[in-house]
């Protein structure tokens, strides 16, 4: 008998302090605890209202508690939740058809997170190279300041040492190049490389867009050496930049693409997309997942996909992205002592701070939150905005008002 079991836990009062008492301290969450959401609106335990320009780190693309998704989830919850992977199911088959019809891909593998999707992509690349060329072709190339997940493999592939310190020894045969540096890529990508993985728009690394010439060079080098090109679109995909996936903006087609975050609008689901030839590399038993592609996840993801992948919807995302960018550029012009530039694409934008404000993006985030606006940071020198794709012009104007109010308060206190 477990003496710690408390059948009343569902209704027990909890606070931010409860986090410090019972959860592993891998995060340092805000002091307020959100309890209810609708669209881009959130309310905390005290009833305070916030305008959410984070969308759960580019996850809630259709906003909180979107009624279309609530209906789809409720319908599926009353039908079929989960099956072991000895069976397939109708929702995942429909989702696989929809994603392959909408992209370059012929095959899909479904899992639960961006890290799992990237893990699958990297395992596929290694196995393909071993099978076709031999064990010597195993090296993986990634970029500094990239982010590909938190498993030991994917965090090692991500080029940020702060996430790998203390977890050594790390998986071998992983090297890094400088993002958008063609010379760096040419020097690193040789015949022993099995895969090059890159974000076409770096998110956690500072909201840095990939140069078309750089991404094209990666494509050409992979063609030359027989390496596979993997585009990590966990954050940039699912309509975030105004195309269903950002590779479509460049006209550069990867061999493998990974998607997560907005794919489930908050329900854990991810996908690795690839071709017939490459997909055949992962034969029965070579890779798997217990929950990936279950009926609940697939139903929600398909509903998200069908909602976003409409010409009018994507056109509005581009329009909203242009509106947000012009608003932020005016903010930069009016606060030159704080900001230097806006960068990014669509509705994934970063505002870079000046040398005088280096290391203080978190201060701006906290000030905005205090005034009722939730924003993100990307490192300590970039304020990141990733609102739901359904954001209105009025909400963009309100975010601008709160940002200005917050900056005025910080400057006055300085």
């Amino acid at each position: 008998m477990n003496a710690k079991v408390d059948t009343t836990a569902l209704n027990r009062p909890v606070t931010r302090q409860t986090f410090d008492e019972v959860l592993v301290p891998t995060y340092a969450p805000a002091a307020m605890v959100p309890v209810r959401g609708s669209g881009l609106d959130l309310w905390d335990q005290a009833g305070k209202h916030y305008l959410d320009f984070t969308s759960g780190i580019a996850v809630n693309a259709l906003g909180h508690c979107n009624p279309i998704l609530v209906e789809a989830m409720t319908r599926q919850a009353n039908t079929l939740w989960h099956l072991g992977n000895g069976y397939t199911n109708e929702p995942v088959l429909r989702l696989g058809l929809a994603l392959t019809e909408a992209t370059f891909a012929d095959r899909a593998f479904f899992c639960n997170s961006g890290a799992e999707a990237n893990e699958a992509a990297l395992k596929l690349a290694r196995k393909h190279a071993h099978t076709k060329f031999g064990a010597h072709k195993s090296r993986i190339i990634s970029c500094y300041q990239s982010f590909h997940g938190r498993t030991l493999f994917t965090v090692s592939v991500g080029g940020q040492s702060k996430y790998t310190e203390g977890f050594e020894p790390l998986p071998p045969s992983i090297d890094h190049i400088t993002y958008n540096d063609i010379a760096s890529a040419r020097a690193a990508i040789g015949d022993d490389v099995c895969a090059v993985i890159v974000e076409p728009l770096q998110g956690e690394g500072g909201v840095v867009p990939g140069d078309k010439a750089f991404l094209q060079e990666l494509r050409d080098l992979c063609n030359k050496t027989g390496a596979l090109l993997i585009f990590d679109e966990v954050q940039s995909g699912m309509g975030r930049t105004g195309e269903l996936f950002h590779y479509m903006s460049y006209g550069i087609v990867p061999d493998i693409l990974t998607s997560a975050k907005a794919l489930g609008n908050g329900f854990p689901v991810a996908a690795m997309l690839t071709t017939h030839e490459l997909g055949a590399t992962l034969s029965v038993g070579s890779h798997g997942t217990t929950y990936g592609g279950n009926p609940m996840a697939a139903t929600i993801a398909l509903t998200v996909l069908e909602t976003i992948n409409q010409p009018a919807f994507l056109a509005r995302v581009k329009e909203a992205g242009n509106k947000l960018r012009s608003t932020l550029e005016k903010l930069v012009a009016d606060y030159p002592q704080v900001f230097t530039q806006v960068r990014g694409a669509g509705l994934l934008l970063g505002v870079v701070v000046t040398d005088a404000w280096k290391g203080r993006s978190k201060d701006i985030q906290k000030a905005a939150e205090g005034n009722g606006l939730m924003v993100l940071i990307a490192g300590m020198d970039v304020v990141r905005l990733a609102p739901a794709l359904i954001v209105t012009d009025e909400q963009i104007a309100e975010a601008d008002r709160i940002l200005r109010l917050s900056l005025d308060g910080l400057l006055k206190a300085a």
Side-chain angles (χ1 to χ4, degrees), residues 156-387:
S156 301
V157 171
Q160 301 191 55
S161 60
K162 65 183 179 181
Y163 294 131
T164 58
E165 291 172 358
F167 297 108
E168 299 87 354
L170 303 176
S173 299
I174 298 170
D175 293 309
H176 298 90
I177 62 177
T178 302
Y179 195 66
N180 282 334
D181 186 326
I182 290 176
S184 179
R186 288 174 176 168
I189 301 172
D191 290 336
D192 63 338
V193 172
C194 70
V196 177
I197 183 169
V198 64
E199 300 161 273
L201 170 57
Q202 282 193 335
E204 306 301 317
V207 195
V208 183
D211 293 338
K212 183 173 183 179
F214 172 71
L215 296 176
Q216 184 62 59
E217 184 66 20
L218 296 184
R219 177 69 277 174
D220 294 343
L221 288 168
C222 285
N223 291 344
K224 178 181 177 181
T225 62
L228 302 185
L229 180 61
I230 304 169
F231 272 10
D232 178 341
E233 294 230 33
V234 169
Q235 189 162 169
S236 64
M238 291 304 295
R240 176 59 52 181
T241 65
E243 301 286 351
L244 181 62
F245 289 103
H246 198 35
Y247 82 86
M248 298 170 176
S249 304
Y250 293 98
I252 299 169
V253 180
D255 299 296
I256 306 171
L257 180 145
T258 56
S259 177
K261 286 190 181 290
L263 181 60
N265 205 76
F267 195 96
V269 61
M272 178 194 71
L273 305 177
T274 191
T275 63
H276 280 304
E277 178 190 357
L278 297 176
T281 301
L282 293 180
S283 56
V284 174
S286 62
H287 191 58
T289 166
T290 295
Y291 299 109
N294 71 31
M296 284 288 287
T299 293
I300 294 164
L302 180 58
T303 307
V304 172
L305 175 64
E306 290 181 336
T307 302
I308 290 175
N309 194 29
Q310 300 292 333
F313 188 98
L314 292 170
R316 169 56 197 167
V317 173
K318 291 179 182 178
E319 180 183 296
N322 291 335
K323 178 70 174 179
L324 181 58
R325 179 182 283 275
S326 64
T327 298
L328 293 175
E329 287 174 344
K330 181 68 164 57
L331 185 76
V332 170
D334 291 345
Y335 291 86
Q337 67 274 56
V338 180
F339 296 123
T340 63
Q341 64 169 313
V342 180
R343 63 191 185 202
L347 287 171
L348 179 56
L349 297 175
V351 194
V352 184
V353 301
T354 61
D355 288 343
W357 280 72
K358 278 193 176 298
R360 295 194 62 190
S361 63
K362 190 73 173 178
D363 294 340
I364 299 170
Q365 180 191 40
K366 287 182 177 179
E369 182 186 292
N371 288 314
L373 174 68
M374 296 163 62
V375 295
L376 298 161
I377 60 173
M380 298 311 294
D381 301 326
V382 178
V383 176
R384 178 174 30 158
L385 293 93

Side-chain angles (χ1 to χ4, degrees), residues 125-126 129-130 133-139 190-194 225-227:
R126 278 258 174 97
H130 276 230
F133 299 101
H136 70 283
K137 194 175 183 65
S138 60
R139 196 156 58 93
D191 290 336
D192 63 338
V193 172
C194 70
T225 62

